[in-house]
Amino acid sequence: MIRRTLLLLIALCLLAALSLLPLPIPPYLDFQVIYHADMGLLRGISIYDHTGQVNMIARLANVPPEQVYVLPFPYPPWYALAALPLALLPIQIAARVWFEVNLLLLLVSVGLLTEGWPTAKRVWTGLAAVFFLPVLGSLVIGQYGFPILLGAALFGHALKNRNVILIPFAAVLLTFKPHLGTLILLVGLIFLSFQRNEFSRRALMAVVIAGLLLFIIGFFASPLWPLDYYHSLTGFRDVSQCHQCNSLPMVLAGIIGGGFSQAVWLAMGLLILSLIWLIFEWKRFSVEPARLIAGAVIVTLLASPYLQNYDYILLLIPLFASVSGANRFHWAWLTLAYLLPFAGFGIFGVAGDVSLVISSLICFVVFAHTARQLDVSPNAA
């Protein structure tokens, strides 16, 4: 209890300090997408009505609509509804609040991922997580992946502690960015389905109820949100073709001279191979359900073609999961996986983003090797 209180005080002091420091939080980068969507929602404009949002901003800025550039909203409607209060604030203040909320989600995620560790080690791990390059970038530009990080960490924690109440909250968070959270959610639900006990039945029912509530709530943001959401994704070329993606399938496609279409086929092959690995290790990971969730994160990072640099904040999960049972050799490779993006971007600039893919591969190898040391005997289970 004392350790948890101390960690909470440290986190609150950090947030308070960041509120007072004159940090340059740019409001007109990625954060503006959800801010403008919510601004329109408060004015009766659907979050997927791109033309309506452009005209709204043009009127507010007193400029022609042709001079307004607004990205379509590419997330489920409940994400916009969760962030709706931010649209009541000036965008400069809202961006700072968004920064602090994301930082809080990060710190809570680290707290869940390091449960049971010594307090000093957890504090240093929290600082290391904040300064992990994808995390720094995501915090500054106001990206949207932190609910997925928390959802995965919370799901592993809830499975480990058999907490029915936390399971639906974790499931909801994992839906905020479906291309990142869907596989993680499915793996968690399949694990629960195999348990066939009172805990799993109640947890699955809670997830079903939460899913129905999300489906209904979505209509408050868009009258035909399933169709509108689909058209928003397919109509946004940068999303549908992923011109700025940085993933293993995209890297392999580039090596053979292909593009996104070839990357999709390569992604299917990688998905099949990585799922075979996960199924092969299922019994071993089931002893520690948090590792099973970490394994699902690894599969997502290896197989998804649609990954951008900021999505690699999820690497924190296999990084921390690999610490259990790691020897000095493993620590050396984990340290390399952590530091490699700094070197890649520092030396090669944007071209160095392939270092994130290499870090993912390193984490996969170390995670898989440390998992072989897990006790899968009946007594451990």
Side-chain angles (χ1 to χ4, degrees):
M1 183 65 182
I2 297 177
R3 290 195 304 173
R4 291 182 179 180
T5 304
L6 179 59
L7 289 171
L8 178 61
L9 288 175
I10 292 173
L12 291 175
C13 288
L14 180 59
L15 288 172
L18 290 171
S19 301
L20 298 174
L21 290 175
L23 295 174
I25 306 299
Y28 291 105
L29 294 178
D30 288 20
F31 168 70
Q32 67 174 318
V33 176
I34 198 168
Y35 184 81
H36 288 147
D38 282 336
M39 277 184 63
L41 192 57
L42 292 176
R43 291 165 173 79
I45 302 171
S46 167
I47 60 173
Y48 301 117
D49 183 358
H50 184 241
T51 302
Q53 292 176 19
V54 169
N55 292 332
M56 172 194 69
I57 296 171
R59 289 194 301 269
L60 293 174
N62 197 25
V63 298
E66 295 77 17
Q67 297 182 12
V68 174
Y69 178 69
V70 180
L71 294 173
F73 187 70
Y75 302 111
W78 44 87
Y79 204 151
L81 292 172
L84 189 60
L86 292 175
L88 300 172
L89 303 171
I91 190 169
Q92 292 80 5
I93 298 176
R96 181 175 287 270
V97 173
W98 185 247
F99 172 88
E100 294 172 358
V101 168
N102 282 334
L103 181 60
L104 180 61
L105 296 182
L106 170 68
L107 294 177
V108 174
S109 302
V110 173
L112 294 171
L113 293 170
T114 60
E115 183 182 18
W117 294 16
T119 301
K121 189 176 181 180
R122 298 179 80 181
V123 171
W124 286 111
T125 301
L127 291 174
V130 171
F131 290 101
F132 185 45
L133 192 58
V135 169
L136 276 177
S138 297
L139 287 171
V140 171
I141 67 176
Q143 246 301 314
Y144 305 97
F146 291 98
I148 309 301
L149 178 66
L150 177 58
L154 189 62
F155 214 139
H157 171 83
L159 290 176
K160 175 184 176 181
N161 294 282
R162 302 173 70 85
N163 191 317
V164 174
I165 296 176
L166 294 179
I167 292 288
F169 286 103
V172 168
L173 289 170
L174 287 170
T175 66
F176 276 34
K177 291 188 76 171
H179 75 283
L180 290 180
T182 298
L183 180 62
I184 304 169
L185 176 58
L186 286 175
V187 167
L189 295 181
I190 292 172
F191 172 80
L192 286 171
S193 300
F194 286 167
Q195 296 305 294
R196 301 181 183 278
N197 53 35
E198 183 63 21
F199 161 69
S200 63
R201 286 190 289 270
R202 292 172 59 197
L204 288 171
M205 180 58 65
V207 171
V208 170
I209 293 173
L212 290 174
L213 288 176
L214 286 184
F215 183 80
I216 295 170
I217 289 172
F219 291 101
F220 289 96
S222 179
L224 297 172
W225 77 261
L227 289 176
D228 291 340
Y229 181 38
Y230 172 77
H231 290 309
S232 179
L233 289 178
T234 56
F236 184 18
R237 188 172 179 81
D238 284 343
V239 171
S240 59
Q241 295 299 315
C242 202
H243 291 156
Q244 297 180 344
C245 281
N246 175 37
S247 62
L248 180 58
M250 289 294 287
V251 170
L252 295 176
I255 292 174
I256 63 175
F260 185 71
S261 299
Q262 290 72 26
V264 171
W265 288 104
L266 289 168
M268 292 175 63
L270 288 170
L271 179 62
I272 292 172
L273 291 174
S274 54
L275 285 177
I276 290 173
W277 164 76
L278 188 62
I279 293 170
F280 183 76
E281 298 287 358
W282 189 277
K283 180 180 179 181
R284 191 179 305 276
F285 289 159
S286 296
V287 176
E288 296 183 11
R291 273 191 175 260
L292 184 62
I293 297 299
V297 171
I298 284 284
V299 173
T300 299
L301 293 176
L302 292 180
S304 174
Y306 182 64
L307 291 177
Q308 302 203 36
N309 295 339
Y310 42 71
D311 293 327
Y312 286 91
I313 64 173
L314 292 181
L315 267 179
L316 292 177
I317 294 177
L319 270 172
F320 293 163
S322 299
V323 169
S324 177
N327 54 34
R328 291 183 178 180
F329 178 76
H330 297 140
W331 270 105
W333 283 103
L334 291 175
T335 303
L336 176 62
Y338 179 89
L339 295 176
L340 191 59
F342 291 96
F345 282 89
I347 297 173
F348 301 105
V350 177
D353 58 4
V354 71
S355 60
L356 292 167
V357 177
I358 298 173
S359 290
S360 297
L361 291 171
I362 293 173
C363 284
F364 164 65
V365 173
V366 176
F367 178 79
H369 193 265
T370 57
R372 303 302 297 178
Q373 303 176 27
L374 293 176
D375 183 3
V376 295
S377 64
N379 289 336

